[in-house]
Amino acid sequence: MTSLLQRLSAERNRRFVGRGREVELFLDAIASRELPFHILHVFGPGGVGKTTLMQQFLRFCERSKISTAYVEARNLEASPESFISTLRSLMGLNESDSPLHMLAQRQERNVILIDTYEAITQLDEWLREVFLPHLSVNTLIVIAGRNPPSSSWYSDPGWQALMHTLPLRNLTPEESQAYLTTRDIPTIQHQAILELTHGHPLALSLVAEVFAQGKEISFQAESAPNVVKTLLSRFIKEVPTPLHRMALEACAVIRLTTETALNQMLAVPQNTLAGEAHSLGEIPDVHDLFEWLRGLSFIESGQLGLFPHDLAREVLIADLRWRNSEFYTELHHRARQYYTKRLGQTQGQEKHRVLLDYIFLHRDNSAIRSCFTWGEQSSLLTDSLRETDKTALLGMVAEYEGEESAKIADHWLKRQPQNVVVFRDLHSEPAGFAMMVALQTATIEDLSADPGAFASWQYLQTHAPLRPSEGATIFRFWMARDTYQAVSPTQSLIFINFVQYFQKTPGLAYTFLPCAQADSWTAMLNYFDLTRLSETDFTVEGRHYGVYGHDWRIVSPAAWKEILARKEVTTAGESVDNTPVGEPLLVLSQPEFVEAVQNALRNFSCPDALQNNPLVRSRSVSEEVATKASMSESPKETQLFEKPHSGCLHERINILQNLVKQAVESLQSSPRDEKLYRAVYRTYLNPAPTQEQAAELLDLPFSTYRRHLKAGMTRVTDILWQREIS
C-alpha cells in the first residue's frame, strides 16, 4: 500500500521542473568514485527555489540509498551545541554518541544538506575551521542560503579548491511554461504570468494558487496584494529603519542605483510624507545605506550601479503603489529632477545612459514596458558614419526593405552623410543605424527621389509650413542588423538617440517617424505624443510604411517633458492623457509675430488688453510657465495630474510683460542701441502722455524720435522672435 509520504514525494517530484544543470552537477558528484568537491554552496534570493532544489537532492540520495542528513537551519539556535544536537537526532544516535566521530569514520558516500544557511551565519567560522575539516572524505556538504560564501572561504586556498559555488537564478521561460502546465494553468495566461513573475519559482507557485482559487481571473500584481505581500516577505526578512525601506523602494524605482542617485532620492522634503519617513531624524550616511542594499541577496551589482532582480523590482513597486501611491509619485519626481540635472551635465554615451534612466521611469506603463529593453547596459557604441560602413548599411536596407529602398538610402548617404548615426558592436561593426533626413535642406530633386521624404514635405506645406530658421526631420531609415525594427537593444538605443536629437537640434519644428509595422507602435508612440499622420504614409516596392509626427512648436520639448511627467505613474488600467499641458501653443508666422509684439508694446501697461494677445500662448511664454512650475518641490504640491503647468491667464500676462521688458532693457547693453531703448521705454514701458511729450522728454526732434522708436520696436521684435524660434 502506498503511504502518504510516498504520495507527497511523488507529487513534489512531479511539480519539480528545470534546474537541469544543477541536478546534473549534483548527480555526477554523488555518483563519482572520488568527490570532485566537498562543499556545494547554493545561493540565491528568497523564493528562488533553493529549498525545493535541496529537497530534490534529498530524494536523489534516498533513491540511491545514500545516507543523508537534512538540516533546516531556521529551526536551530546559532550555536555549535544546537547544531550537534540536531545532527545527532537526524542520524538517530544516542545522547552519548558523537555525530562528528561517526561522520569521520564513514567509509561510504554520505551527504549533509544545510538549508537556510543565512540563519546560522554566526556558525560560519566554527563550521569552516572546526566541524567540517574532520568529516570523512566521502562526505558531501551542500549549503543553501541567500548569500554567497563569505570571503573567508575564498581566501583559504584549501577550501577554495574543495568548494563549488552554484548561484541559483529564475527559471527559463521554457521551464516556467512547463511548471504552469503541470499546475493546469490555461495556456492563454502563460505570457502574462511570465511577464509578471520573470520565472521566479515562488511567484509562479503563488500565481498558480491564485488561479486554483478562481481560474477565470486575469492576474496582475496590483490585484493580488496578498501575493505581493508574501513575495515581499521572502525578499525582505526585516528592514532596520523606515529610511532603509525608502532606500529599497528608491532602488526599485530607478534603473541603476549609485550613491549619488540614492542621496538625491532620499532627500527628505520639508513636508515629509506621512508614513514613509516619520521621525527619521537626521539622514544617516548614504554610503551605509548603499552598502546595506549591496548586501541584499536580491540586489545585483553591475558595472554602473545596483539594481534589483526583476521580480524583486516588480514586487517592491506593486507593494509601494498599493500601500502609499503618494510616496511612489514623490520618488518619481525626485528621480526626474536628478536625471534632468544630469542630462545638462553629460555628453555622448553617458548622456545616452542618462536618457535611458529617464525613460525607465515610464517602465511601469504597459504602453512602454514592452517597447524597450531595460538591461543594465548595452555593449553598443554610438558613432558617426564611416565610408567603410556604407556597404553594410545598404545591405541592411536591401534585406529588410528591398533594393529600391536601398537606392533611396544610398541617395541620402551621399547627400546628408552627417545625419547618419551608426551603432557598433564589440567588433566595431555596424549593428544598426538611424538616418535623420533634414527636409529643409533637401532640394526638389532630393525629395522627388524619395516617396517618404516627399510625402512629409507635402504635409508640411499643407498643414505646418516652416518659418525662417526652422527645420523638419524625417527619421527616414532606422533598423538593427539582426532584428530590423523589432524590440532589441539596438532599437532601444535608436529611440534614445531620437529623443536626444530633438532635444539638441536648434530650430527643430517638426519630426516624422515612419514605421514598417506602424500599428504595432501605436500605443507606445501615442504615449510619447506622436500622432499618426495617415496623409504621410508611403509605399516603396510594395512595402507600406505608416508615419507618426510631432510639431515641436505646438508642444515644445519642455512642454513634452511635462506631459510625460504626468504619465509616469500611470499603469495599464489608467487613462493616459495625451493633451498638451494647458492650451496648445500658437505657431505664428513672422508677420503675425511682429504684429503681436507691436500690440504687446502698445498695451504693455494694460493687462486686460493683453489677454487676447497671441503671444500669451507662444512657446516663449509657455516654456517660462513650465520652468516655474517644475521648480516646485513636489508633484503633490503642483497637483501633478491636474495640468499644473498650464498657467493661469494672469500669470501668462505677467510673463509676457516680463519677456517684453527684458527684451527692451537688453538694448541698453549696446551704446548704439541705447537711444532706441530710451525711445521705446518712454513710449511703452514708462510712457509719456503723448508721443510728442515723449520726444520732448528725450530732447529729440519728433522725426528723430519716431525713427528711434521704429528701430527700437524692430530690434525688440527681432530679439523676441529669435527666442521664440530658437
Side-chain angles (χ1 to χ4, degrees), residues 1 29 36 53 61 77 107 162 167 178 234 259 270 304 359 404-405 429-430 484-485 512 514-515 600-601 638 659 703:
M1 180 180 293
L53 182 61
C61 292
E77 291 182 17
Q107 297 300 311
L162 300 180
R234 290 299 183 102
E259 284 193 24
Q270 291 181 354
L304 302 174
I359 292 176
E404 189 62 33
S405 286
E429 296 297 324
Y484 187 39
Q485 294 181 353
F512 299 91
C515 303
L601 284 166
T638 59
L659 291 176
S703 60

Side-chain angles (χ1 to χ4, degrees), residues 352-465:
H352 290 158
R353 284 193 288 267
V354 177
L355 279 169
L356 187 55
D357 291 339
Y358 199 109
I359 292 176
F360 187 87
L361 296 176
H362 297 267
R363 178 177 175 272
D364 293 342
N365 192 288
S366 61
I368 299 302
R369 180 188 296 250
S370 61
C371 296
F372 281 87
T373 54
W374 303 104
E376 178 211 349
Q377 60 178 332
S378 170
S379 59
L380 297 170
L381 293 176
T382 305
D383 194 12
S384 56
L385 177 70
R386 303 174 189 170
E387 186 65 31
T388 54
D389 295 330
K390 292 185 178 180
T391 300
L393 303 193
L394 295 177
M396 290 183 213
V397 178
E399 178 183 355
Y400 292 113
E401 299 189 3
E403 292 295 339
E404 189 62 33
S405 286
K407 292 179 183 178
I408 295 171
D410 186 38
H411 174 82
W412 289 119
L413 284 176
K414 294 172 181 174
R415 298 291 292 158
Q416 298 189 14
Q418 73 280 7
N419 293 331
V420 178
V421 175
V422 178
F423 307 99
R424 302 190 186 281
D425 59 21
L426 290 172
H427 305 290
S428 294
E429 296 297 324
F433 77 101
M435 181 185 293
M436 289 75 75
V437 172
L439 294 173
Q440 75 278 5
T441 63
T443 65
I444 295 300
E445 290 75 17
D446 290 332
L447 297 172
S448 299
D450 181 1
F454 186 79
S456 293
W457 182 252
Q458 287 289 92
Y459 180 88
L460 288 174
Q461 306 315 301
T462 306
H463 299 284

Side-chain angles (χ1 to χ4, degrees), residues 41-48 50 74 114-119 121 143-149 166-169 200 202 230-238 294-299 309:
H41 196 121
V42 181
F43 62 94
V48 81
K50 298 183 295 295
R74 78 181 70 199
I114 307 175
D115 200 4
T116 324
Y117 190 69
E118 68 273 9
T121 52
I143 296 172
R146 296 187 173 206
N147 306 309
L166 192 61
L168 207 57
R169 296 293 182 253
H200 189 277
L202 177 61
T230 301
L231 288 170
L232 196 59
S233 68
R234 290 299 183 102
F235 284 124
I236 315 166
K237 285 207 167 181
E238 60 180 55
R294 197 176 191 176
L296 296 176
S297 63
F298 55 89
I299 299 292
H309 290 175

Side-chain angles (χ1 to χ4, degrees), residues 134-333:
H134 295 287
L135 299 181
S136 161
V137 292
N138 288 311
T139 303
L140 173 64
I141 303 97
V142 184
I143 296 172
R146 296 187 173 206
N147 306 309
S150 65
S151 59
S152 298
W153 290 92
Y154 293 112
S155 61
D156 185 315
W159 280 123
Q160 190 178 39
L162 300 180
M163 179 177 67
H164 185 91
T165 56
L166 192 61
L168 207 57
R169 296 293 182 253
N170 293 354
L171 298 175
T172 66
E174 295 74 20
E175 292 168 343
S176 300
Q177 286 186 318
Y179 174 80
L180 294 174
T181 300
T182 66
R183 296 298 303 271
D184 300 321
I185 304 300
T187 304
I188 195 173
Q189 299 283 2
H190 285 192
Q191 187 59 38
I193 296 173
L194 293 180
E195 289 177 0
L196 169 75
T197 62
H198 303 281
H200 189 277
L202 177 61
L204 289 167
S205 175
L206 291 172
V207 171
E209 290 304 318
V210 171
F211 272 98
Q213 297 168 20
K215 293 190 177 182
E216 299 304 315
I217 68 170
S218 179
F219 185 84
Q220 290 188 2
E222 290 82 357
S223 64
N226 289 334
V227 173
V228 171
K229 183 178 179 182
T230 301
L231 288 170
L232 196 59
S233 68
R234 290 299 183 102
F235 284 124
I236 315 166
K237 285 207 167 181
E238 60 180 55
V239 179
T241 69
L243 196 60
H244 284 78
R245 178 172 285 277
M246 287 175 64
L248 190 56
E249 291 163 346
C251 185
V253 166
I254 60 179
R255 189 172 75 100
L256 294 167
T257 300
T258 62
E259 284 193 24
T260 305
L262 191 61
N263 186 61
Q264 168 72 23
M265 297 293 284
L266 297 186
V268 182
Q270 291 181 354
N271 300 325
T272 301
L273 292 172
E276 285 302 333
H278 182 64
S279 302
L280 286 176
E282 289 189 19
I283 297 180
D285 188 349
V286 170
H287 175 74
D288 294 338
L289 292 170
F290 185 83
E291 289 301 315
W292 174 77
L293 286 172
R294 197 176 191 176
L296 296 176
S297 63
F298 55 89
I299 299 292
E300 298 268 6
S301 295
Q303 291 183 355
L304 302 174
L306 307 179
F307 56 96
H309 290 175
D310 288 337
L311 181 67
R313 191 190 295 276
E314 304 287 354
V315 169
L316 287 163
I317 291 297
D319 176 69
L320 179 59
R321 289 179 69 109
W322 174 75
R323 181 172 48 80
N324 193 337
S325 60
E326 284 187 339
F327 188 62
Y328 171 75
T329 302
E330 171 67 20
L331 285 175
H332 271 259
H333 175 72

Side-chain angles (χ1 to χ4, degrees), residues 13-148:
N13 194 58
R14 185 181 74 85
R15 292 190 178 183
F16 182 85
V17 298
R19 306 305 187 199
R21 182 175 66 90
E22 293 84 353
V23 166
E24 183 180 1
L25 178 73
F26 180 78
L27 291 177
D28 286 347
I30 61 174
S32 62
R33 183 177 183 85
E34 181 178 328
L35 284 170
F37 45 80
H38 290 274
I39 302 288
L40 178 61
H41 196 121
V42 181
F43 62 94
V48 81
K50 298 183 295 295
T51 296
T52 301
L53 182 61
M54 293 285 273
Q55 290 174 345
Q56 191 72 356
F57 288 168
L58 176 62
R59 285 192 284 274
F60 290 143
C61 292
E62 291 172 343
R63 191 182 305 163
S64 301
K65 309 297 186 192
I66 294 175
S67 176
T68 311
Y70 190 105
V71 179
E72 176 47 79
R74 78 181 70 199
N75 299 326
L76 302 181
E77 291 182 17
S79 68
E81 295 77 19
S82 178
F83 186 88
I84 293 292
S85 175
T86 300
L87 204 54
R88 181 184 292 115
S89 176
L90 291 171
M91 294 172 65
L93 302 178
N94 296 320
E95 191 67 29
S96 58
D97 294 332
S98 167
L100 185 57
H101 177 74
M102 297 292 291
L103 290 169
Q105 300 302 314
R106 286 267 172 94
Q107 297 300 311
E108 69 279 5
R109 179 62 38 81
N110 66 106
V111 176
I112 299 175
L113 302 165
I114 307 175
D115 200 4
T116 324
Y117 190 69
E118 68 273 9
I120 56 170
T121 52
Q122 297 94 320
L123 293 181
D124 191 65
E125 182 179 357
W126 175 78
L127 286 167
R128 186 178 62 254
E129 302 294 339
V130 178
F131 183 80
L132 298 178
H134 295 287
L135 299 181
S136 161
V137 292
N138 288 311
T139 303
L140 173 64
I141 303 97
V142 184
I143 296 172
R146 296 187 173 206
N147 306 309

